[in-house]
């Protein structure tokens, strides 16, 4: 069974509270999402392997640590997931970035694929899949399946706010994928929006309706 990691660092929780407020505008919402993604990135990458290398400081030679050859990729689920990319790139500037485009059919609440562009060597990389909201879990599960079809075996799902339904669906369909969230909210409403949630993340990031 995949592990659920709730990142409850005080600064993450403080910034998330500001994002939840309905009066928070797009500019601040985007900036806070970037900052939270950077902070969450520390936990998502906590167990990346290190190796010893020889370096020379201004004082002497020494054995130091660096990330071992593990290559990373950041793959946002469009469109809201793209709001988390910049923060992660601040932490991991050498990461490659792919994109998976999914939108939710408002009648069926099912995800529809419209775009997929990934690094050629995506199957050799640790993939951090980003989407601020994990509601029904449909989009996340479809995106994970698309990555697995391309040979990816090390995938981590990073979301801001999750509903129990979405967590359960990902854990059921992809038990090998660990989930990282800042908060687990109460439930989904009749329109499959997270309650209390923070509204439509894509609309709040880009100022659309």
């Amino acid at each position: 069974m995949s592990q659920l990691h709730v990142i409850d660092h005080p600064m993450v929780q403080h910034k998330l509270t500001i994002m939840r407020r309905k009066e928070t505008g797009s500019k601040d919402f985007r900036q806070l999402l970037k900052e939270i993604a950077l902070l969450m990135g520390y936990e998502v990458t906590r167990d990346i392997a290190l190796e010893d290398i020889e370096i020379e400081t201004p004082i002497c030679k020494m054995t130091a640590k660096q990330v071992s050859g593990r290559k990373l990729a950041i793959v946002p689920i469009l469109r809201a997931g793209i709001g988390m990319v910049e923060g992660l790139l601040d932490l991991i500037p050498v990461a490659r970035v792919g994109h998976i485009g999914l939108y939710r059919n408002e009648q069926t609440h099912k995800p529809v694929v419209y775009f997929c562009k990934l690094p050629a060597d995506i199957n050799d990389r640790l993939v951090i899949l980003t989407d601020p909201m994990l509601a029904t879990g449909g989009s996340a599960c479809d995106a994970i399946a698309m990555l697995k079809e391309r040979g990816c075996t090390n995938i981590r799902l990073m979301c801001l706010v999750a509903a129990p339904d979405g967590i359960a669906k990902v854990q059921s369909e992809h038990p090998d994928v660990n989930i990282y969230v800042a908060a687990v909210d109460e439930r989904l409403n009749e329109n499959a929006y997270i309650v209390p949630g923070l509204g439509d993340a894509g609309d709040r990031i880009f100022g659309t309706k």
Side-chain angles (χ1 to χ4, degrees):
M1 177 64 70
S2 69
Q3 291 185 339
L4 172 67
H5 302 266
V6 180
I7 301 171
D8 58 358
H9 188 284
M11 292 311 302
V12 171
Q13 296 304 311
H14 174 79
K15 292 173 187 293
L16 176 58
T17 295
I18 300 172
M19 290 182 71
R20 288 186 190 272
R21 291 175 177 158
K22 64 181 182 180
E23 63 266 23
T24 298
S26 291
K27 177 180 178 294
D28 290 337
F29 193 93
R30 284 194 301 270
Q31 180 63 31
L32 289 161
L33 182 57
K34 172 188 171 182
E35 292 170 2
I36 291 178
L38 171 63
L39 294 170
M40 292 183 69
Y42 282 101
E43 293 302 319
V44 176
T45 58
R46 175 176 287 277
D47 62 350
I48 288 180
L50 295 172
E51 63 185 6
D52 291 336
I53 61 165
E54 290 292 325
I55 66 168
E56 188 167 356
T57 76
I59 307 301
C60 64
K61 291 183 179 179
M62 68 167 289
T63 301
K65 301 286 186 183
Q66 72 172 13
V67 174
S68 66
R70 198 60 182 259
K71 296 183 286 188
L72 285 89
I74 303 162
V75 179
I77 299 176
L78 303 179
R79 47 184 184 135
I82 205 165
M84 305 176 81
V85 173
E86 189 177 354
L88 285 173
L89 283 176
D90 283 349
L91 180 65
I92 318 161
V94 297
R96 297 284 178 88
V97 180
H99 298 86
I100 294 177
L102 297 168
Y103 69 88
R104 186 174 69 166
N105 182 299
E106 292 301 326
Q107 278 70 50
T108 65
H109 307 308
K110 301 288 186 181
V112 179
V113 181
Y114 66 89
F115 185 77
C116 182
K117 184 75 170 179
L118 300 169
D121 62 348
I122 190 76
N123 58 307
D124 291 328
R125 295 177 177 270
L126 163 61
V127 179
I128 302 174
L129 182 67
T130 65
D131 193 350
M133 314 302 286
L134 180 59
T136 65
S139 295
C141 285
D142 279 10
I144 293 167
M146 292 169 70
L147 290 168
K148 288 182 174 179
E149 287 170 4
R150 287 158 176 81
C152 297
T153 58
N154 194 352
I155 304 166
R156 301 179 184 188
L157 177 62
M158 177 175 152
C159 304
L160 197 61
V161 177
D165 311 56
I167 294 167
K169 184 175 179 66
V170 172
Q171 290 182 326
S172 173
E173 295 189 15
H174 300 286
D176 56 328
V177 175
N178 287 340
I179 305 167
Y180 297 80
V181 301
V184 178
D185 279 12
E186 296 172 13
R187 58 184 173 86
L188 297 177
N189 66 14
E190 62 279 4
N191 295 315
Y193 280 95
I194 299 173
V195 178
L198 45 72
D200 186 300
D203 285 347
R204 296 196 68 186
I205 290 166
F206 299 109
T208 54
K209 291 289 187 182

